[in-house]
Amino acid sequence: MGKFMKSHSLQTMLLISLFLVFLQFVAHPNCQQQLLTMWYENLSGLRQQSIAVKFLAVFGVSIGLPFLAIAYWIAPCSKLGRTLRSPFMKFVAHAVSFTIFLGLLVVNASDRFEGVKNLPNETITDHPKQIFRVKTTQFSWTELLIMKWVLGMIWSECKEIWEEGPREYVVHLWNLLDFGMLSIFVASFTARFMAFLKASEAQQYVDQYVQDDDLNNVTLPPEVAYFTYARNKWLPSDPQIISEGLYAIAVVLSFSRIAYILPANESFGPLQISLGRTVKDIFKFMVIFIMVFLAFMIGMFNLYSYYLGAKYNPAFTTVEESFKTLFWSIFGLSEVISVVLKYDHKFIENIGYVLYGVYNVTMVVVLLNMLIAMINNSYQEIEEDADVEWKFARAKLWLSYFDEGRTLPAPFNLVPSPKSFYYLILRIKMCLIKLCKSKAKNCENDLEMGMLNSKKRKVRFQSSIQNTESFSGKNAYNKPTRYQKIMKRLIKRYVLKAQVDRENDEVNEGELKEIKQDISSLRYELLEEKSQATGELAKLIQQLSDKFGKTL
């Protein structure tokens, strides 16, 4: 067991050291220079321009993005198409598209900035025979545009999963955030659409069977009359209420997605890295937090659950109230009266005071300060090596745009380009050629050999083909590509250079002994010279004293 733990720790240290070496390798000026050259591919003149010129270029792409998308659909292999396929232009196009998407989210809520037109207990319709819920569940033009953007982002994520594979896709946390955001948007719009369908069915019933022009004078069935009620009478599980709650969560996740592009900036990049480390620290902290929180929540509930209605407030009488009271007490929003009883049960009250006090000391004084210390430590680690951390994060962002494909952002990627049809025809052609070749081989084998022998050999032949294909697939999979070979050589060269520099800087034991001997010999020489100089100085003093004595 000890050997296993020692080998595991050595492997961990080796991985950490390799990661640090790779981090420094990516942040090396030569590597960053090469990445910059690839980043401004087909845009070499823009690289030397000032920030104002680059800002004007981004502004031009923002205004002309629909026209650029149309031009790319028509001529993807033209000079303009090659320019749009450069990593920098792809990054700008995707960033502009996502900014427009966030702007649509803001515009969709702009009609309620100063308050809603109708209160929760009011109903407003366009005509007396209209069902109220038909008016409230209709999709606005901004919501339809948001749905198009969501569909475009879903298509982009599906292409990424197809190219990278599900396992590689799940490794990146930003992909999980995108998946969660898009899933919540889809769930929200689905619930809204279900509410609209139900309201349309109620409206259809009114149009067919109700003759009166005013619905207030008609008695409707309960399932139809429900859709004429104001908001204050809706059920908690109403699809429209669920849709609005999910939509709010999706909006928050959408704006948090801005942090993905922050490493592109030198000022905001380290802050984004610190934020990521902070989130990791919070997740580590949550394990201890949940254990302590559950312990006190269940304990306080068991103590006060028998006193429902016998307290000055409902705190700790139910699990829900116990959760609310303990959670908000972390931020100082609960009162001490939460543990006081109306009856003269001092023993229960004293235990409640003690538990509540211990909880506040443990949570506020100990755990929260420990979390602050962990966050501060992570920030200091990043600040000590901020330049390397930021360059590595920026390189990862750039590499995500170096791959071929995904040129047009959402929702322009929903319209297939001629290039897509060309690739589709090529794939269909390759599949047909493989199918025809396999059928031709099978026919030749059946004609040459007998029917009985052909069946047996056909099975053997197919199994051998499968084995060779699997073997060749494994070899192709294991065979490194040209890019992998170059990266391996570069990393090996960098590691060897670092080792040589370290060996040159280090001093071995023999050299230390020689240095000691030189120092000791120098010491003896200095002592001899000092003794000689002292003797000569004494003789001079004696001669001077003799001369002064004779003159006197």
Side-chain angles (χ1 to χ4, degrees):
M1 187 67 182
K3 292 182 179 179
F4 174 76
M5 292 296 292
K6 188 179 291 185
S7 62
H8 182 70
S9 62
L10 288 173
Q11 290 177 0
T12 306
M13 292 175 64
L14 181 61
L15 289 174
I16 293 172
S17 60
L18 287 175
F19 176 74
L20 292 175
V21 170
F22 183 69
L23 200 71
Q24 295 175 358
F25 168 74
V26 173
H28 196 271
N30 294 339
C31 187
Q32 290 291 311
Q33 186 73 14
Q34 184 64 26
L35 288 173
L36 272 172
T37 305
M38 297 172 65
W39 178 247
Y40 289 102
E41 185 181 1
N42 299 324
L43 295 168
S44 57
L46 187 63
R47 178 178 174 182
Q48 288 81 19
Q49 298 297 330
S50 61
I51 298 176
V53 176
K54 293 179 181 178
F55 178 77
L56 289 175
V58 172
F59 183 72
V61 173
S62 304
I63 296 176
L65 185 59
F67 305 103
L68 293 174
I70 294 172
Y72 184 78
W73 287 329
I74 296 172
C77 297
S78 62
K79 184 177 180 180
L80 179 61
R82 290 194 298 271
T83 303
L84 290 175
R85 283 199 299 271
S86 66
F88 176 77
M89 292 300 295
K90 284 200 292 185
F91 170 75
V92 171
H94 283 79
V96 168
S97 173
F98 193 75
T99 304
I100 296 173
F101 173 69
L102 296 181
L104 288 173
L105 295 179
V106 175
V107 172
N108 187 40
S110 61
D111 59 339
R112 301 186 298 276
F113 283 171
E114 297 180 357
V116 293
K117 297 178 181 179
N118 59 320
L119 298 176
N121 57 351
E122 296 177 351
T123 58
I124 298 176
T125 56
D126 296 332
H127 53 84
K129 205 173 179 180
Q130 186 185 27
I131 295 292
F132 172 64
R133 295 293 294 277
V134 173
K135 184 178 178 63
T136 60
T137 56
Q138 290 178 352
F139 290 98
S140 62
W141 65 271
T142 53
E143 290 172 338
L144 292 176
L145 287 176
I146 290 170
M147 291 172 66
K148 290 181 181 178
W149 249 268
V150 170
L151 288 175
M153 288 188 283
I154 290 173
W155 176 243
S156 179
E157 295 299 317
C158 291
K159 290 174 68 176
E160 188 174 353
I161 293 173
W162 176 262
E163 293 172 0
E164 297 181 359
R167 184 176 297 177
E168 186 68 22
Y169 178 83
V170 174
V171 170
H172 303 287
L173 296 179
W174 289 113
N175 292 336
L176 297 180
L177 177 63
D178 291 339
F179 183 81
M181 178 190 72
L182 297 175
S183 301
I184 295 172
F185 266 122
V186 170
S188 173
F189 289 132
T190 303
R192 177 78 173 274
F193 185 69
M194 294 299 296
F196 176 73
L197 288 179
K198 292 293 183 181
S200 300
E201 291 176 0
Q203 184 66 55
Q204 187 178 4
Y205 176 86
V206 170
D207 294 339
Q208 290 180 356
Y209 299 104
V210 176
Q211 304 298 328
D212 201 330
D213 292 336
D214 193 357
L215 295 180
N216 295 324
N217 303 326
V218 180
T219 302
L220 298 173
E223 62 273 10
V224 178
Y226 173 76
F227 294 97
T228 63
Y229 296 158
R231 181 177 287 269
N232 59 347
K233 295 182 180 180
W234 294 357
L235 294 174
S237 59
D238 191 281
Q240 189 170 351
I241 294 177
I242 295 173
S243 172
E244 292 168 356
L246 294 175
Y247 182 79
I249 298 172
V251 168
V252 174
L253 293 178
S254 300
F255 277 89
S256 64
R257 188 68 171 76
I258 299 175
Y260 177 72
I261 62 175
L262 290 182
N265 185 269
E266 187 176 0
S267 301
F268 298 109
L271 293 178
Q272 189 266 344
I273 299 168
S274 302
L275 181 62
R277 295 281 183 90
T278 301
V279 172
K280 293 180 181 179
D281 292 337
I282 291 174
F283 277 116
K284 294 177 184 177
F285 170 79
M286 286 300 293
V287 177
I288 302 175
F289 174 82
I290 291 172
M291 290 171 56
V292 175
F293 189 84
L294 282 176
F296 281 95
M297 185 182 74
I298 300 300
M300 297 296 283
F301 169 70
N302 286 330
L303 187 65
Y304 287 101
S305 59
Y306 304 105
Y307 294 93
L308 182 62
K311 293 173 83 274
Y312 291 100
N313 57 20
F316 305 118
T317 54
T318 62
V319 175
E320 181 182 358
E321 292 295 333
S322 180
F323 176 84
K324 291 179 181 178
T325 306
L326 292 179
F327 180 78
W328 292 113
S329 67
I330 299 173
F331 309 99
L333 299 179
S334 61
E335 301 176 353
V336 184
I337 200 173
S338 301
V339 297
V340 179
L341 296 172
K342 294 180 180 179
Y343 304 139
D344 191 20
H345 292 183
K346 293 297 181 182
F347 182 73
I348 298 296
E349 280 190 9
N350 292 333
I351 293 178
Y353 275 118
V354 171
L355 290 178
Y356 198 49
V358 171
Y359 170 79
N360 281 281
V361 171
T362 305
M363 279 292 183
V364 179
V365 178
V366 180
L367 292 182
L368 285 183
N369 284 291
M370 184 178 71
L371 177 62
I372 294 170
M374 291 170 62
I375 294 172
N376 187 33
N377 185 34
S378 298
Y379 184 77
Q380 291 296 329
E381 288 179 358
I382 294 170
E383 279 296 316
E384 290 175 357
D385 208 4
D387 185 65
V388 175
E389 292 278 355
W390 167 66
K391 287 180 178 178
F392 183 76
R394 187 182 64 173
K396 286 202 302 183
L397 176 65
W398 286 355
L399 286 171
S400 62
Y401 291 95
F402 284 165
D403 298 332
E404 186 68 24
R406 287 178 289 173
T407 304
L408 295 178
F412 306 104
N413 60 345
L414 293 175
V415 180
S417 62
K419 185 178 69 172
S420 302
F421 288 110
Y422 176 72
Y423 287 153
L424 180 62
I425 292 171
L426 283 180
R427 288 184 180 180
I428 294 173
K429 183 180 178 181
M430 293 298 295
C431 291
L432 291 175
I433 291 173
K434 288 182 180 180
L435 184 63
C436 293
K437 286 183 178 180
S438 63
K439 285 185 177 180
K441 288 181 180 179
N442 293 335
C443 292
E444 290 177 359
N445 291 332
D446 290 338
L447 290 174
E448 290 177 359
M449 312 302 292
M451 291 298 295
L452 295 175
N453 294 331
S454 64
K455 290 182 180 179
K456 295 179 181 179
R457 296 193 177 184
K458 184 179 178 182
V459 173
R460 294 177 183 175
F461 181 69
Q462 289 178 351
S463 62
S464 63
I465 289 175
Q466 292 176 357
N467 292 331
T468 53
E469 287 180 353
S470 62
F471 180 74
S472 63
K474 291 179 181 178
N475 290 338
Y477 180 77
N478 293 327
K479 186 177 180 180
T481 60
R482 182 172 175 268
Y483 172 76
Q484 291 174 343
K485 288 180 180 178
I486 293 173
M487 290 300 296
K488 187 176 179 181
R489 290 173 183 174
L490 287 173
I491 294 171
K492 187 176 180 180
R493 184 188 300 173
Y494 182 82
V495 172
L496 289 174
K497 187 176 182 301
Q499 290 178 354
V500 170
D501 294 339
R502 187 181 300 172
E503 290 175 356
N504 292 333
D505 294 336
E506 291 178 352
V507 180
N508 55 25
E509 189 176 355
E511 292 176 350
L512 285 174
K513 289 182 178 179
E514 291 179 0
I515 292 170
K516 288 181 181 179
Q517 291 176 0
D518 293 339
I519 292 171
S520 61
S521 61
L522 178 63
R523 179 189 173 192
Y524 289 126
E525 290 176 359
L526 291 174
L527 290 174
E528 289 178 359
E529 290 179 358
K530 180 183 177 183
S531 60
Q532 292 177 0
T534 304
E536 293 176 356
L537 183 61
K539 290 179 180 180
L540 290 173
I541 293 170
Q542 185 66 31
Q543 292 175 2
L544 289 172
S545 61
D546 293 341
K547 288 181 180 181
F548 279 113
K550 290 178 180 180
T551 56
L552 290 174

